Amino acid sequence: MSKNDKPIVILNYKTYLESSGDKALSLAKDLESAYDETGIPMIASPQAIDITKIKDETSIPVYAQHIDPIKPGGNTGSNLLESFLANGIDGTLLNHSEKRMKLADIESLVTKAKESNLKTCVCSNNVATSEAIATLSPTYVAVEPPELIGTGIPVSKAEPEIITGTVDKVKNINKNVKVLCGAGISTGEDMKAAIELGAEGVLLASGIIKAKNPKEALLDLVSKI
Amino acid sequence: MSKNDKPIVILNYKTYLESSGDKALSLAKDLESAYDETGIPMIASPQAIDITKIKDETSIPVYAQHIDPIKPGGNTGSNLLESFLANGIDGTLLNHSEKRMKLADIESLVTKAKESNLKTCVCSNNVATSEAIATLSPTYVAVEPPELIGTGIPVSKAEPEIITGTVDKVKNINKNVKVLCGAGISTGEDMKAAIELGAEGVLLASGIIKAKNPKEALLDLVSKI
Amino acid sequence: MSKNDKPIVILNYKTYLESSGDKALSLAKDLESAYDETGIPMIASPQAIDITKIKDETSIPVYAQHIDPIKPGGNTGSNLLESFLANGIDGTLLNHSEKRMKLADIESLVTKAKESNLKTCVCSNNVATSEAIATLSPTYVAVEPPELIGTGIPVSKAEPEIITGTVDKVKNINKNVKVLCGAGISTGEDMKAAIELGAEGVLLASGIIKAKNPKEALLDLVSKI
Amino acid sequence: MSKNDKPIVILNYKTYLESSGDKALSLAKDLESAYDETGIPMIASPQAIDITKIKDETSIPVYAQHIDPIKPGGNTGSNLLESFLANGIDGTLLNHSEKRMKLADIESLVTKAKESNLKTCVCSNNVATSEAIATLSPTYVAVEPPELIGTGIPVSKAEPEIITGTVDKVKNINKNVKVLCGAGISTGEDMKAAIELGAEGVLLASGIIKAKNPKEALLDLVSKI
């Protein structure tokens, strides 16, 4: 990984109270200031309702947590790609383990996102689904064994072969697709281990969101790379 | 219906391009100005991402289109009641025909909304489900035969017995629950007919959203009551 | 409860290995023989694939575990009411906590089942949803607090007020709707307690299915009433 | 395609009245007798409730229309792989356009089916999803543009490049995965065209099921290959 090709950090806000409303914004400011200090790209992925205030008051990239596989029209209660675009979104998570999607919907949204210059980070649960997703050429595949999500046990330690296997399979299908490591990453050691196994960034959540001092936790996270 | 008890108008923005992004806000301003001119309460129900700008720049009540049956925590891509509250929401639609909910989820959300002083407008598809919903004591039951939604054919004309039947059954269960009329309402005649059949307001969408001049369409809508 | 109005027992087979394939049939024979010995009506609710062999080789009533809200046509992988009818089914569970349904779908299936002379046992999770379901006039409402399902803790002991509250509310809406008690019932004591609280039967599962000797467990279950 | 490698015919019964109950069996006998006369493998894919009678009274292979991504246990109303196995099933459709599945569930079911020696026919909607599915190594990928399903317009005529594109991409990933052609196939001409484009069989439904004489329709279907 060259200097021009820094690992990235995506923070999935999920629906924690610690990452909702005013706290969604203050977390985004922590991400912005961690980026300013380290140069490591930091991306916020808040709930839909919290997106516009972050776009208004910070300059960090913002990803949706999910976009619904719909067209403009009668879809009460759904989240439309075009509305995210109209509000300046930069990308989206897709197929998170807490919002698994049908294969046909992943494909149509990755395609539509590309046409709209949105980045896509498609989550996977193992090597086999990572390979399947790679054929769709998203920006990122984030591999997260569901059994480790929220446990604090880093996949880089518990199941390193899932990361190396995913990197192998994904790059074999399309070397432009980047692999992120999710599930249990929260410290500088975890992130360093993930990068050494071939990951090009991390997708994380509660480890930062629930930290006493999220900004310090972010600085620690990227301190060893 | 006494002067103190004016019928209400809820505008469901759905996911039309004409009601997303900047247009979500301009539509809210039309609602606000129609309220200022007529005194008829007007409520906006935009997509989640468009809520905060409307709360910031207008004084009309804003309802979510849907809230997910979740607790704070790991629910990537979902919409949390507490986050809507933190952003100043006033109420929510639930169980719209385009987002039908499980009975147990309707019940838990109506209960949770009441505890949070949020209004609830629960949609139903016929007299029988209206009666079932009335037992849960939401603020409003909005009856909308799905076959008429988006057709421009007002239920007050096509199936008036659905409105009168709903009013009878709902009031028999709980006379404090108000009945709204949905599906196909767009003109002053439609709304007048709905009120005469016992409805205490209307839930509408494309008839206003797709009008050339939404504010004029709103003024026409309430011109006969 | 008069002699003519005996409590009933519905055995939900769920998808246990102990209640699939050949074991589905042998369990049905246990139900049949427990009925022959006690006169207490016993109903089997097996997986769809196991229904026909039970209809062919026993005379006990058989309920589906779920029916999909569809019409005949292109619905690959769904379970059609008309197909259950064509195979001689007697009734169906609906809205089990493991297969919660949308309110509009419960209503349409209860209505369609009645037109087809099928019994319906609609599950509920608390007093409020039991009351809502009662307005739809199913044959049975089976109240099962989800937190007790599969625990072996009988609702009649842990939360008796859920049974008495359900009986009150349901009978107030429609006195012909019978209330069953689910969740944690497995012994004669449990069933006796449920009946004394006003239940007119029980819906059970693992307590019988996983018993070393299901027939003896059934005889014990009804031994105190 | 060598003589040893005959194209196959899978008949998806869906939930038509014409393919339910007794008619499910008579259709299976038509398939059996068409196989006897032509040597072209014919597979029935009936509703779950109709499977055992076909296994009992014919010798043709039977596929489920769908299997739920569950383990044995508390899954009321679901269809368990182990129960299908206990009843002698030979394979299963997965991810049909009328029952689209989450990617992670397709992967886990294809894997579990292989371990159980069940064949898998995974449906796809276009070239891109066919390629993604091929990485999972199912027995068959059946490509069916959803817009053509049930129209009577054969994909081999309307969009031949979907078949040739799918064959190219699938074989490039794994040459052992066979490509079937779905959507609109009903005549001998359609099937011949599909085979010439590289398909190794067809997945069909209403064209045969709704034919006046299904057996003749089957004989016509395979008459040109």
Side-chain angles (χ1 to χ4, degrees), chain B residues 181-195:
Chain B
C181 178
I185 303 292
S186 56
T187 71
E189 281 301 337
D190 300 341
M191 181 153 177
K192 185 177 174 230
I195 302 298

Side-chain angles (χ1 to χ4, degrees), chain B:
Chain B
M1 196 172 284
S2 76
K3 240 190 163 172
N4 294 333
D5 223 29
K6 287 184 177 161
I8 67 154
V9 172
I10 304 180
L11 184 61
N12 178 2
Y13 282 39
K14 299 191 174 183
T15 57
Y16 291 106
L17 294 181
E18 293 87 348
S19 56
S20 296
D22 291 344
K23 290 174 185 167
L25 179 58
S26 94
L27 212 44
K29 289 184 174 167
D30 289 337
L31 287 162
E32 184 174 43
S33 124
Y35 167 66
D36 287 343
E37 292 181 29
T38 65
I40 306 286
M42 303 267 167
I43 298 164
S45 185
Q47 291 173 67
I49 197 172
D50 289 320
I51 285 176
T52 52
K53 66 174 78 79
I54 296 176
K55 289 304 297 180
D56 286 350
E57 302 194 26
T58 75
S59 60
I60 56 165
V62 177
Y63 283 16
Q65 289 181 17
H66 173 72
I67 295 180
D68 286 303
I70 54 168
K71 291 181 184 163
N75 303 289
T76 301
S78 293
N79 293 302
L80 180 70
L81 185 139
E82 286 81 352
S83 301
F84 284 106
L85 276 177
N87 285 289
I89 205 86
D90 302 282
T92 187
L93 306 184
L94 290 172
N95 197 44
H96 189 274
S97 73
E98 295 158 6
K99 198 80 176 181
R100 286 283 187 244
M101 296 172 71
K102 295 173 183 175
L103 171 61
D105 294 334
I106 300 173
E107 191 272 331
S108 78
L109 273 163
V110 168
T111 300
K112 205 172 160 191
K114 263 185 246 175
E115 292 164 3
S116 311
N117 290 314
L118 289 181
K119 309 276 189 190
T120 48
C121 173
V122 183
C123 300
S124 67
N125 58 313
N126 60 24
V127 176
T129 54
S130 296
E131 185 181 9
I133 291 165
T135 68
L136 308 175
S137 298
T139 318
Y140 306 104
V141 171
V143 62
E144 304 192 285
E147 64 275 16
L148 295 181
I149 293 179
T151 59
I153 303 170
V155 59
S156 47
K157 202 170 283 179
E159 310 189 56
E161 70 284 0
I162 289 189
I163 303 179
T164 53
T166 292
V167 171
D168 279 358
K169 291 287 189 185
V170 167
K171 296 294 177 179
N172 186 47
I173 294 279
N174 181 341
K175 66 183 186 332
N176 296 318
V177 176
K178 295 184 177 181
V179 175
L180 305 185
C181 178
I185 303 292
S186 56
T187 71
E189 281 301 337
D190 300 341
M191 181 153 177
K192 185 177 174 230
I195 302 298
E196 285 171 358
L197 291 166
E200 292 163 279
V202 294
L203 171 64
L204 27 75
S206 56
I208 301 297
I209 290 168
K210 301 209 154 199
K212 273 193 188 164
N213 186 326
K215 191 187 148 189
E216 274 178 24
L218 285 166
L219 293 177
D220 174 54
L221 178 77
V222 299
S223 61
K224 309 242 153 117
I225 50 169

Side-chain angles (χ1 to χ4, degrees), chain C residues 44-204:
Chain C
S45 185
Q47 292 173 68
I49 198 172
D50 290 320
I51 286 176
T52 52
K53 67 174 78 80
I54 297 176
K55 289 302 298 180
D56 286 350
E57 302 195 27
T58 76
S59 60
I60 57 165
V62 177
Y63 284 15
Q65 289 181 17
H66 173 72
I67 295 180
D68 286 302
I70 54 167
K71 291 181 184 163
N75 304 289
T76 301
S78 292
N79 293 301
L80 180 71
L81 185 139
E82 285 82 351
S83 300
F84 284 107
L85 276 178
N87 284 290
I89 205 86
D90 302 282
T92 186
L93 306 184
L94 291 172
N95 197 44
H96 189 274
S97 73
E98 295 158 6
K99 197 80 176 180
R100 286 283 187 244
M101 296 172 72
K102 295 172 184 177
L103 171 61
D105 293 335
I106 300 173
E107 191 271 333
S108 77
L109 273 164
V110 168
T111 301
K112 206 172 159 189
K114 262 184 248 175
E115 292 164 3
S116 311
N117 291 315
L118 288 181
K119 309 276 189 189
T120 49
C121 173
V122 183
C123 300
S124 67
N125 58 313
N126 60 23
V127 177
T129 54
S130 295
E131 185 181 8
I133 291 166
T135 67
L136 308 176
S137 298
T139 318
Y140 306 103
V141 171
V143 63
E144 303 192 286
E147 64 276 16
L148 296 181
I149 292 179
T151 60
I153 303 170
V155 58
S156 47
K157 202 169 283 178
E159 310 189 58
E161 70 284 1
I162 289 189
I163 304 179
T164 53
T166 293
V167 170
D168 280 357
K169 292 287 189 184
V170 166
K171 296 294 178 179
N172 186 47
I173 294 280
N174 182 340
K175 66 182 187 331
N176 295 319
V177 175
K178 295 184 175 179
V179 175
L180 305 186
C181 178
I185 303 291
S186 55
T187 70
E189 282 301 336
D190 300 341
M191 181 153 177
K192 184 174 174 236
I195 302 298
E196 285 171 357
L197 292 165
E200 292 162 278
V202 294
L203 171 63
L204 27 74

Side-chain angles (χ1 to χ4, degrees), chain D residues 135-185:
Chain D
T135 68
L136 308 175
S137 298
T139 318
Y140 305 104
V141 171
V143 63
E144 303 192 285
E147 65 275 15
L148 295 182
I149 293 178
T151 59
I153 304 170
V155 59
S156 47
K157 203 172 283 179
E159 310 189 56
E161 70 284 1
I162 289 189
I163 304 179
T164 53
T166 293
V167 170
D168 279 358
K169 292 287 190 184
V170 166
K171 296 293 178 180
N172 187 47
I173 294 281
N174 182 341
K175 66 183 189 325
N176 295 318
V177 176
K178 294 184 177 182
V179 175
L180 305 186
C181 178
I185 302 292

